Amino acid sequence: MEGNSSDLEGGTTNMNGLSLNSYSSGLQTQLQRDLDRQHLLSDRPRAGIYENVISEGIEGMEHQERYERLLRRAQVEDLTEVSGIGCLYQSGVDRLGRPVIVFCGKWFPAQNLDLEKALLYLIKLLDPIVKGDYVIAYFHTLTSTSNYPSLHWLREVYSVLPYKYKKNLKAFYIVHPTFWTKMMTWWFTTFMAPAIKAKVHSLPGVEHLYSAITKDQLEIPAYITEYDMATNGLHYFNPVPTAS
């Protein structure tokens, strides 16, 4: 375990009394299902390939229509319930001029939030941005199991978002990672999004971000910087500008 060991302290519960072992058991079950599904797909005969192509084309059209319906809803519905939390927002640009999207895991009340509205807000915020290149900085700082969305919801979100979201995402930074984020990242990039695997970077501290994003372009809550200083100290990394 590295990073936020406090949310795993005691081995089985977090500050809210939720069972981490129970959550891990569900994760392991989902991982096994995906492995079994992958084996079945690899063993499936190649006959009927043209029918499969047609079927996938129709399915793609249905996904696009669904996204457009969600986009229309996102533009007219009241989403202040989500926007007021402040867990997802744009914060300046990186060294290459690409918009930086910040997501603060600690402020995402996954168990007490209308997740459909959360998806609508995500679409409303990102749709005009993902027409070009962009990057995401996810801060896992001081999160607990109450902040973790279900695997089903993550799968649903990824399937709804069209190709431009994946294509134009140039980097996904995970700051203050833990065992949970490493497990989720492995599962997600193995079964859902292998194309973005090289774009995901786990960083032990905020200052590592400064190689890609200057400090004045990164607006983050005080609790993140306070935790970072308490854990890593001051001036622990000398950033070298990078084009990643």
Side-chain angles (χ1 to χ4, degrees):
M1 305 294 176
E2 64 174 277
N4 302 350
S5 60
S6 60
D7 60 347
L8 303 182
E9 189 173 359
T12 58
T13 59
N14 67 357
M15 67 185 72
N16 296 315
L18 295 173
S19 171
L20 183 61
N21 284 344
S22 176
Y23 190 92
S24 298
S25 177
L27 175 60
Q28 291 171 0
T29 301
Q30 183 63 57
L31 292 175
Q32 185 59 51
R33 289 174 181 170
D34 285 327
L35 284 169
D36 293 341
R37 180 173 179 271
Q38 188 178 49
H39 290 320
L40 287 172
L41 289 175
S42 63
D43 293 338
R44 190 169 58 185
R46 298 182 62 85
I49 186 171
Y50 298 110
E51 290 82 351
N52 290 338
V53 169
I54 293 174
S55 175
E56 290 173 1
I58 294 174
E59 184 179 357
M61 292 174 61
E62 291 174 347
H63 283 167
Q64 181 61 30
E65 290 174 356
R66 183 186 179 193
Y67 175 78
E68 290 174 355
R69 288 196 300 269
L70 290 170
L71 178 59
R72 288 193 293 270
R73 286 182 55 194
Q75 293 169 340
V76 298
E77 290 193 17
D78 181 8
L79 302 176
T80 53
E81 173 188 347
V82 183
S83 62
I85 297 173
C87 64
L88 182 69
Y89 54 92
Q90 180 182 351
S91 174
V93 296
D94 70 1
R95 292 181 183 272
L96 297 179
R98 304 174 297 199
V100 176
I101 304 300
V102 169
F103 181 63
C104 303
K106 183 178 184 292
W107 285 356
F108 183 67
Q111 313 301 323
N112 301 301
L113 184 67
D114 185 335
L115 293 180
E116 184 174 10
K117 286 194 173 183
L119 173 58
L120 292 177
Y121 178 69
L122 173 72
I123 291 173
K124 180 178 181 179
L125 176 68
L126 292 187
D127 185 76
I129 294 174
V130 301
K131 294 175 182 177
D133 296 346
Y134 70 105
V135 301
I136 294 177
Y138 167 61
F139 293 87
H140 194 62
T141 318
L142 297 176
T143 59
S144 66
T145 53
S146 64
N147 304 121
Y148 302 166
S150 68
L151 294 175
H152 173 76
W153 187 74
L154 291 175
R155 186 193 296 270
E156 181 74 9
V157 170
Y158 190 79
S159 67
V160 164
L161 300 179
Y163 177 64
K164 62 182 178 180
Y165 280 76
K166 298 94 171 181
K167 174 180 177 293
N168 294 330
L169 173 64
K170 299 307 176 183
F172 190 107
Y173 303 104
I174 302 174
V175 183
H176 299 143
T178 62
F179 173 75
W180 183 85
T181 61
K182 291 187 176 184
M183 283 287 290
M184 288 299 299
T185 300
W186 175 83
W187 173 81
F188 195 74
T189 57
T190 299
F191 299 107
M192 292 294 296
I196 70 169
K197 192 167 188 176
K199 302 178 182 181
V200 179
H201 311 279
S202 292
L203 306 177
V206 176
E207 291 186 11
H208 292 269
L209 270 178
Y210 298 156
S211 294
I213 308 168
T214 58
K215 189 174 182 179
D216 65 308
Q217 290 292 313
L218 189 62
E219 182 180 350
I220 53 177
Y223 81 86
I224 294 177
T225 54
E226 290 170 358
Y227 173 87
D228 194 64
M229 286 189 293
T231 303
N232 298 313
L234 292 172
H235 310 300
Y236 55 85
F237 180 74
N238 185 24
V240 177
T242 177
S244 63

